[in-house]
Amino acid sequence: MFNLQVSNIMDNLEEVTEPVSPSGRYFNSSIICAYVFGFLESEVPINDSQTMYLLKHVFLPINPRFSSIMVRDKHGKMMWKKVEVRPEDHIKFPIFPKNESSEFYDQYFDEYVSKIMMERTPQEKPLWEIHMIKYPTSNAAGTLIFKLHHALGDGYSLMGALLSCLQRADDPSLPLSFPSRKSSESPPPYEKGFFKWFPSTIFSFFKSISDFGWSIAKSSMIEDDKTPIRNGDEGVEFQPSVLSNISFSLDHIKQIKSKLGVAVAKHMYGTLRNSSVVMSNLIGPVEPMALANHPVKGLYFTMTGGPESINIAVMSYTRVLRVTLKTQKGFIDEQKFKFCMVKAFEDISKAATEVPNKSKG
């Protein structure tokens, strides 16, 4: 079992808040060490004095685990223990050469991100870090990177915690709003009520059983073949990765969807060990946001710790869909992979323009 540096028997059990969940123990073990990375791109240079205040008084109180470490109680069980947090111990300020071009800083930024994606956070402190990149890249005047251990929560809750620190840029007194998932079309009368609920519920029940069985098979017996996008070797999760991004217009995607009458992309799930690609998505705010008076130009995320050679994360913000690719360095040509994805989107878009409009008669 993974020997945590702070896994000593604690005499004062009153400081222990709650047990560590099985998934929390798994994500912080010798088997896997998983993180969620959130990237905030600022339109203006980063003023760390403003962001430090916000992190201390807004970010830390959001989740008690942000101020806790993993310890063992006298029975040997892993518990979360509340500790005193010095925010300055968790904030990193990388030093790059001065007065260089944005293209130069793009390279430094990519190399820095590749490095911190492989590093473990110290176990004697709460399992999070914030990296302030105060150098302009081609995408932003500065970038904040939130590195949050997966043991602190799932990706949705951690990104939700990050979003709760942000405000609407146009009116901070108003809450952030998100796109509605409800369909604009009303179901026919015979599909309402019990007759709509019953078949969909039964279908969902059996589909859940089918998905669960398939996941068990994937994780224990069935394995994807080795391909140009799947290494399949042991220890892939400990190899360096490269991060790259593709942006698509949400309005363009909606036009394609209305033409073809189908979704352009679906949320896919993958099992950890035997699959080729892990894909996750999040719905982001509709309006532009700000963090401590820093207008947010872009927002995206990724996850580390899995053995897949490709991790795809999709997030919307304002009218842009950001697709973030984490690819195994030296095994996958990320530029070629990005080209293939963009080309596929262009082919779908071209096909949609050739579909005649549906008549409303």
Side-chain angles (χ1 to χ4, degrees):
M1 182 175 289
F2 182 48
N3 183 22
L4 296 175
Q5 299 176 9
V6 293
S7 297
N8 300 319
I9 296 176
M10 306 306 300
D11 295 327
N12 186 1
L13 296 182
E14 293 181 354
E15 297 177 341
V16 176
T17 56
E18 62 175 329
V20 178
S21 66
S23 61
R25 295 196 299 270
Y26 174 73
F27 282 128
N28 191 29
S29 66
S30 59
I31 300 174
I32 189 173
C33 186
Y35 292 89
V36 175
F37 285 78
F39 297 80
L40 285 180
E41 296 174 332
S42 176
E43 291 186 1
V44 298
I46 294 177
N47 183 335
D48 52 276
S49 62
Q50 295 181 15
T51 53
M52 186 71 75
Y53 177 87
L54 187 65
L55 295 173
K56 185 174 182 179
H57 296 281
V58 178
F59 175 77
L60 280 179
I62 291 173
N63 189 335
R65 295 177 188 174
F66 292 164
S67 303
S68 303
I69 61 174
M70 285 187 184
V71 299
R72 291 190 187 278
D73 66 9
K74 63 182 180 180
H75 302 292
K77 294 182 179 180
M78 295 301 299
M79 306 290 289
W80 289 107
K81 179 181 182 293
K82 191 80 171 178
V83 295
E84 188 69 26
V85 179
R86 287 168 43 91
E88 55 269 25
D89 292 340
H90 295 259
I91 312 299
K92 311 295 181 182
F93 297 92
I95 304 299
F96 298 166
K98 295 182 179 180
N99 303 321
E100 299 290 347
S101 66
S102 58
E103 290 77 15
F104 177 90
Y105 288 129
D106 284 345
Q107 181 179 353
Y108 265 77
F109 178 86
D110 292 342
E111 292 175 354
Y112 183 80
V113 170
S114 180
K115 179 176 71 75
I116 64 173
M117 285 195 299
M118 295 183 61
E119 297 174 343
R120 283 179 178 260
T121 49
Q123 296 293 320
E124 68 273 11
K125 296 188 297 185
L127 302 173
W128 60 271
E129 292 178 347
I130 297 176
H131 301 256
M132 294 190 180
I133 314 296
K134 302 176 70 174
Y135 301 91
T137 64
S138 57
N139 292 323
T143 307
L144 282 173
I145 305 175
F146 290 75
K147 181 178 181 178
L148 310 173
H149 201 291
H150 224 316
L152 300 173
D154 58 50
Y156 292 97
S157 63
L158 294 178
M159 288 301 295
L162 175 57
L163 289 173
S164 66
C165 298
L166 301 168
Q167 298 175 317
R168 282 181 54 160
D170 59 344
D171 189 345
S173 66
L174 296 177
L176 298 174
S177 60
F178 297 82
S180 173
R181 293 188 177 187
K182 295 182 180 179
S183 174
S184 59
E185 298 181 0
S186 300
Y190 59 82
E191 289 188 3
K192 295 181 179 180
F194 174 80
F195 292 100
K196 177 186 177 183
W197 170 87
F198 180 77
S200 62
T201 302
I202 296 298
F203 175 78
S204 298
F205 174 75
F206 283 106
K207 185 145 191 336
S208 297
I209 293 178
S210 173
D211 289 344
F212 178 75
W214 177 247
S215 296
I216 293 296
K218 283 292 293 181
S219 61
S220 58
M221 297 176 291
I222 305 173
E223 181 176 345
D224 284 355
D225 296 331
K226 291 187 177 182
T227 67
I229 63 170
R230 181 176 186 270
N231 188 316
D233 294 338
E234 292 291 331
V236 171
E237 58 269 35
F238 304 112
Q239 299 298 315
S241 299
V242 178
L243 213 62
S244 54
N245 285 277
I246 310 172
S247 296
F248 298 104
S249 165
L250 276 178
D251 293 331
H252 192 182
I253 292 175
K254 287 182 178 180
Q255 291 174 0
I256 296 174
K257 181 178 178 181
S258 64
K259 273 276 193 175
L260 301 181
V262 296
V264 176
K266 292 185 178 180
H267 185 188
M268 301 188 301
Y269 297 89
T271 55
L272 279 178
R273 180 57 57 182
N274 295 331
S275 57
S276 298
V277 179
V278 165
M279 197 169 178
S280 54
N281 61 9
L282 285 172
I283 297 176
V286 174
E287 302 90 4
M289 304 179 296
L291 176 69
N293 298 320
H294 292 69
V296 177
K297 184 179 180 180
L299 175 65
Y300 60 98
F301 75 102
T302 191
M303 295 176 290
T304 64
E308 291 78 19
S309 298
I310 293 179
N311 185 300
I312 302 176
V314 183
M315 188 168 190
S316 62
Y317 174 52
T318 58
R319 308 306 305 166
V320 176
L321 192 71
R322 193 78 168 263
V323 179
T324 302
L325 311 173
K326 184 179 75 69
T327 53
Q328 183 182 347
K329 189 174 184 179
F331 176 69
I332 295 175
D333 185 335
E334 72 275 7
Q335 295 301 323
K336 183 180 292 185
F337 189 71
K338 282 177 60 176
F339 173 81
C340 291
M341 291 194 67
V342 173
K343 183 65 168 58
F345 183 80
E346 291 174 349
D347 290 343
I348 294 173
S349 178
K350 181 180 178 182
T353 61
E354 298 172 355
V355 174
N357 292 324
K358 297 180 180 179
S359 62
K360 297 184 179 181

